[in-house]
Amino acid sequence: MIRYALRRIIFAVPVFFIIITAVFFMVRFVPGGPFDRERQLSPETLAALNAYYGLDDSLPVQYVKFLKNLSRGDLGPSYKYQNRSVTELVREKAKVSLELGGAALAIALTVGLACGAVSAMGRGRLSGALDAVSLAGICLPAFVVGPVLIWIFSLKLGWFNAMGWREARDIVLPSVTLALFYAAWIAKLFKDSEARELAKDYSRTAIAKGESPLRVAAEASRAALSPVVSYLAPAAAGMLTGSFVVESIFNIPGLGKFFISSALDSDYTMIMGCVMVYAIFIICFNILADIALALLNPRVAKELGVRK
Amino acid sequence: MSMLSVENLKISFKSGGRVTEAVKGVSFHVDKGESVAIVGESGSGKSVTAMSLARLLPRDGSCEVSGRALFDSEDIFQMNPKELRALRGGKIAYVFQEPSTSLNPVFSVGEQIAEAVRLHRPEVKDVRACVVEALEEVGIRRAAERYSAYPHELSGGMQQRVMIAMALSCRPRLLVADEPTTALDVTIQKQIIDLLREILKNRGMSMILITHNFGIIRGLCSRVLVMFRGRIVESGPTEEILYNPKHPYTKALIACIPRLGRSGERLVSIDYEKIDREARELGYAY
């Protein structure tokens, strides 16, 4: 198992470099530069700015410089936010997004798995109602859910602040807003696969053995969790790296906003910072998901060549 | 008093407003230590009859069961969930047709048997040893090693042996084997049948064997019930039914057994119109 994990991590390193290399060149091929949005700059000023940030070098030279700085953990200055380094900005914003995303992930997992399990084991009305709720959760966009939650829980009931990121309770509404979609997907995925497993012959064997319904469901869930785990890799990365919509609605200083704004601003260094954070999360969670799948299912372990 | 006595069992399935009667009033009994075969083709109601004995049919309202099934004078159909759980595996154990799908693919076979032992024999201290013993009893070599094997690592015959070991591990009084050899190679079929025969002899356990194959019941079951379209059309001692079948359907089934040494003979298929005609002439009611 440890050997498998090590192998995966070693293979992830070139993948990571391919991603950042591709992004490095792609953003520079897009028409427009980091200073085009400023008011009309004189050609001299623009040249001076480009020289100051090293943007007048040829692309290969810029790339080598970027790698050199990266090896020291320095992602360079942000072009948009003067006097702030990208490393410092990303660290500061990512902390907020991690807190928010972590809470959302916990909510999504708990609520999603619980609803899915109840819906799969129950039948008739309860099951149908839960299915309808999860479908609604998948369909409702965050920019609808967020304002509705604000209207009910802060404007009408006054339990929470409408927006901001100052007190501990400020995490509740945004994390619920962020979690709802994922919780609904997890519920649907888990319900469908658990129901499928419960209909299989081996679940009948478990009943014929004299097991309680709960025990039968628990044994079936080991196989039923696989689709959920596969989905969790990108879902967790998405939640933990922040959401543009949720951060905008609740005015939260997270990383999500930068994914959009840095691209619009051609803020090259900031784009690289965001992409790297997202790539690391995606790669790590995929490795974790594959390890979890192997632990859940001995057949998968065999295919992956995992030995315990 | 019979160990199991089924009286006027009726089973019907509802789907999309249509009700299908799968079993239309069946009565039979199984004595202690006796082995009874229920023979019939697909759709005759033999499997659902067997499943109903531990209430393994769907409980979502799509299936209706009536009649009585007395096990030691207790009606299985009146049992509460707790009594049912004690009955399942503990008193009536099952071996199913398809061993490859009847075992949970993500747990080792040893763990799956151990679960049954823990449920029904809480007095057993060393569950692992008990499971290894059960595996040895069904002829699995290197049983201690095989304890941690997963179902997909075993052959179909081995998987069925595991199923049998699981069924036997809790010392049930009645074994219900639903087409236990149908999914297996012919050579393996013989081994499994021999194994069942030996176990029945050693344990003095009762068995209901569900099959469509008259060929496998000789020397294994003392009595046969022939089911056709949800009814028992004929019953009696195995030898008598085999050599002197009365009902046209039984005759047709027996005629279907392929025999060695009769080359050139065509395989027989069942002519239902002929059976219906003859059955009416003989005065059998449908």
Side-chain angles (χ1 to χ4, degrees):
Chain A
M1 190 55 81
I2 291 163
R3 270 184 55 184
Y4 171 74
L6 276 177
R7 204 170 69 217
R8 286 294 303 266
I9 292 165
I10 290 165
F11 276 114
V13 173
V15 172
F16 178 73
F17 275 97
I18 290 168
I19 293 171
I20 58 173
T21 306
V23 173
F24 181 90
F25 288 104
M26 271 157 64
V27 293
R28 282 165 174 79
F29 288 141
V30 175
F35 312 112
D36 293 359
R37 283 205 163 193
E38 314 281 326
R39 67 202 144 69
Q40 208 63 48
L41 296 171
S42 65
E44 294 82 29
T45 325
L46 192 61
L49 272 172
N50 280 336
Y52 175 74
Y53 287 117
L55 288 170
D56 53 353
D57 293 332
S58 68
L59 280 183
V61 173
Q62 287 187 40
Y63 181 64
V64 172
K65 266 190 192 162
F66 161 73
L67 287 184
K68 236 185 234 163
N69 291 335
L70 180 63
S71 65
R72 291 197 306 265
D74 178 12
L75 292 169
S78 166
Y79 304 143
K80 180 81 183 169
Y81 302 86
Q82 261 97 29
N83 308 322
R84 304 288 304 271
S85 82
V86 168
T87 316
E88 176 192 319
L89 268 172
V90 166
R91 193 176 293 150
E92 179 187 315
K93 306 290 177 187
K95 188 174 162 281
V96 175
S97 287
L98 273 177
E99 281 173 26
L100 174 58
L105 182 59
I107 295 171
L109 263 179
T110 326
V111 175
L113 290 179
C115 287
V118 170
S119 170
M121 283 178 71
R123 41 184 168 252
R125 256 183 225 146
L126 178 66
S127 183
L130 279 171
D131 288 354
V133 170
S134 68
L135 190 64
I138 293 168
C139 297
L140 280 174
F143 58 77
V144 172
V145 178
V148 168
L149 289 180
I150 293 176
W151 180 64
I152 298 173
F153 293 100
S154 54
L155 301 185
K156 291 280 161 197
L157 298 171
W159 293 354
F160 302 103
N161 297 322
M163 51 182 64
W165 190 257
R166 291 175 301 272
E167 302 172 44
R169 62 177 176 166
D170 283 341
I171 201 172
V172 177
L173 291 185
S175 58
V176 170
T177 307
L178 181 57
L180 185 74
F181 171 82
Y182 295 101
W185 251 120
I186 291 170
K188 189 178 155 42
L189 276 174
F190 187 52
K191 186 246 162 159
D192 290 350
S193 73
E194 176 77 2
R196 237 184 349 261
E197 297 300 324
L198 284 175
K200 285 192 177 165
D201 285 350
Y202 74 75
S203 291
R204 182 184 59 184
T205 307
I207 296 170
K209 244 193 261 182
E211 290 179 10
S212 67
L214 213 60
R215 177 83 206 180
V216 175
E219 285 176 5
S221 72
R222 183 150 167 195
L225 275 173
S226 293
V228 179
V229 170
S230 302
Y231 171 69
L232 268 181
M239 275 186 269
L240 293 171
T241 51
S243 148
F244 176 75
V245 176
V246 172
E247 286 171 12
S248 303
I249 294 170
F250 292 95
N251 197 22
I252 293 166
L255 193 61
K257 266 183 247 178
F258 287 87
F259 276 85
I260 311 286
S261 63
S262 64
L264 292 177
D265 295 339
S266 292
D267 193 348
Y268 298 150
T269 45
M270 193 66 207
I271 293 175
M272 291 314 296
C274 291
V275 165
M276 281 162 67
V277 169
Y278 192 67
I280 290 169
F281 272 99
I282 281 280
I283 290 171
C284 290
F285 280 117
N286 271 310
I287 294 174
L288 286 176
D290 283 346
I291 290 172
L293 287 176
L295 286 174
L296 283 173
N297 192 336
R299 247 180 151 146
V300 173
K302 204 174 161 194
E303 276 164 29
L304 295 176
V306 179
R307 260 169 297 160
K308 277 188 212 159
Chain B
M1 185 73 207
S2 301
M3 184 179 72
L4 174 75
S5 145
V6 175
E7 294 163 19
N8 200 23
L9 173 69
K10 288 181 184 164
I11 302 170
S12 56
F13 290 94
K14 263 181 278 182
S15 89
R18 270 194 24 216
V19 179
T20 319
E21 271 199 295
V23 177
K24 303 165 185 168
V26 157
S27 301
F28 62 93
H29 65 95
V30 178
D31 289 327
K32 192 171 175 297
E34 190 187 26
S35 171
V36 176
I38 302 182
V39 186
E41 62 194 336
S42 317
S44 62
K46 59 188 195 309
S47 271
V48 282
T49 299
M51 293 302 147
S52 73
L53 296 179
R55 308 233 57 179
L56 294 179
L57 296 168
R59 300 295 288 272
D60 56 3
S62 68
C63 168
E64 207 168 299
V65 178
S66 72
R68 296 209 295 174
L70 302 175
F71 190 87
D72 286 342
S73 319
E74 265 184 279
D75 191 352
I76 294 166
F77 299 159
Q78 303 296 331
M79 284 182 178
N80 63 35
K82 202 175 160 225
E83 291 169 325
L84 267 180
R85 287 205 293 275
L87 175 87
R88 292 170 178 154
K91 292 174 187 160
I92 303 183
Y94 280 77
V95 173
F96 299 106
Q97 177 172 347
E98 192 65 66
S100 60
T101 57
S102 294
L103 288 162
N104 191 326
V106 297
F107 289 96
S108 79
V109 294
E111 283 169 59
Q112 295 187 55
I113 300 174
E115 180 62 25
V117 174
R118 280 192 288 265
L119 275 169
H120 297 288
R121 294 169 65 193
E123 77 282 359
V124 173
K125 290 269 168 2
D126 192 348
V127 175
R128 198 187 174 97
C130 178
V131 171
V132 171
E133 199 181 305
L135 286 170
E136 275 164 353
E137 196 185 346
V138 296
I140 291 179
R141 267 169 290 171
R142 292 187 287 124
E145 264 171 67
R146 293 280 168 75
Y147 181 98
S148 41
Y150 290 96
H152 68 268
E153 296 169 329
L154 302 176
S155 67
M158 278 297 165
Q159 289 171 346
Q160 196 60 299
R161 283 173 196 268
V162 169
M163 285 298 289
I164 294 171
M166 190 193 294
L168 296 179
S169 63
C170 299
R171 313 248 154 97
R173 311 220 1 239
L174 173 66
L175 180 72
V176 181
D178 184 9
E179 304 256 10
T181 60
T182 307
L184 305 173
D185 291 345
V186 181
T187 46
I188 310 294
Q189 285 185 9
K190 171 112 179 25
Q191 292 175 13
I192 296 291
I193 294 295
D194 289 344
L195 174 67
L196 284 174
R197 184 184 299 127
E198 197 190 305
I199 288 162
L200 289 180
K201 203 177 75 191
N202 293 348
R203 293 229 177 164
M205 194 173 55
S206 306
M207 177 169 80
I208 296 178
L209 176 74
I210 311 292
T211 181
H212 63 274
N213 185 351
F214 254 112
I216 67 167
I217 61 178
R218 278 183 71 179
L220 185 59
C221 301
S222 52
R223 211 147 50 78
V224 181
L225 314 169
V226 182
M227 270 188 91
F228 182 51
R229 293 184 187 158
R231 289 197 172 84
I232 293 177
V233 292
E234 188 166 4
S235 65
T238 307
E239 299 295 310
E240 200 178 308
I241 300 269
L242 272 175
Y243 292 112
N244 189 16
K246 300 246 169 15
H247 193 277
Y249 178 66
T250 317
K251 288 180 189 168
L253 272 184
I254 292 170
C256 287
I257 308 171
R259 264 163 264 234
L260 282 174
R262 293 198 189 175
S263 56
E265 195 178 326
R266 295 183 115 199
L267 287 173
V268 193
S269 65
I270 292 178
D271 181 348
Y272 295 99
E273 279 176 30
K274 193 170 153 230
I275 291 174
D276 286 344
R277 206 170 51 237
E278 288 175 9
R280 260 194 304 276
E281 282 164 12
L282 288 165
Y284 287 104
Y286 280 119

